[in-house]
């Protein structure tokens, strides 16, 4: 109940960015991240589909089933 997602993300990004910079001499993260709290009237499945399709939009994959870092505890990829 008292968790702080912003603080968690900030600390995670700081630690990983420092290590990455030491290894590769370049930035790892963009300046901000986008957060969206789902409301009860929003279709969760359409939001999940949008997120799963991010690698396709960025040219990292041609199909969500072929992208090795996609996954969910609630949905299977073949539902999309």
């Amino acid at each position: 109940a008292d968790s702080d997602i912003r603080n968690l993300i900030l600390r995670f990004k700081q630690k990983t960015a420092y290590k990455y910079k030491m290894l590769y001499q370049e930035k790892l993260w963009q300046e901000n991240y986008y957060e969206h709290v789902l409301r009860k009237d929003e279709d969760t499945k359409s939001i999940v589909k949008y997120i799963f399709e991010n690698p396709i939009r960025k040219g990292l994959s041609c199909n969500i089933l072929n992208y090795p870092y996609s996954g969910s505890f609630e949905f299977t990829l073949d539902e999309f």
Side-chain angles (χ1 to χ4, degrees):
D2 61 343
S3 63
D4 182 350
I5 190 70
R6 289 184 180 152
N7 187 40
L8 172 72
I9 292 172
L10 173 70
R11 292 175 63 183
F12 174 77
K13 287 175 70 173
Q14 284 176 335
K15 289 178 183 279
T16 56
Y18 178 78
K19 277 276 206 204
Y20 190 86
K21 180 91 172 183
M22 293 289 113
L23 290 171
Y24 302 105
Q25 287 74 49
E26 58 186 51
K27 284 187 172 187
L28 175 62
W29 300 106
Q30 64 189 32
E31 292 300 317
N32 275 317
Y33 64 95
Y34 178 77
E35 66 182 49
H36 178 84
V37 177
L38 290 177
R39 293 173 181 79
K40 288 183 181 184
D41 63 336
E42 289 184 284
D43 178 26
T44 303
K45 199 167 182 178
S46 67
I47 303 294
V48 171
K49 183 178 187 299
Y50 175 84
I51 293 169
F52 278 154
E53 290 174 347
N54 279 338
I56 296 168
R57 282 190 289 281
K58 288 296 184 179
L60 300 172
S61 181
C62 295
N63 183 313
I64 60 173
L65 296 174
N66 296 336
Y67 190 66
Y69 307 108
S70 290
S72 169
F73 294 115
E74 299 296 322
F75 299 99
T76 61
L77 290 174
D78 59 351
E79 289 182 63
F80 302 98

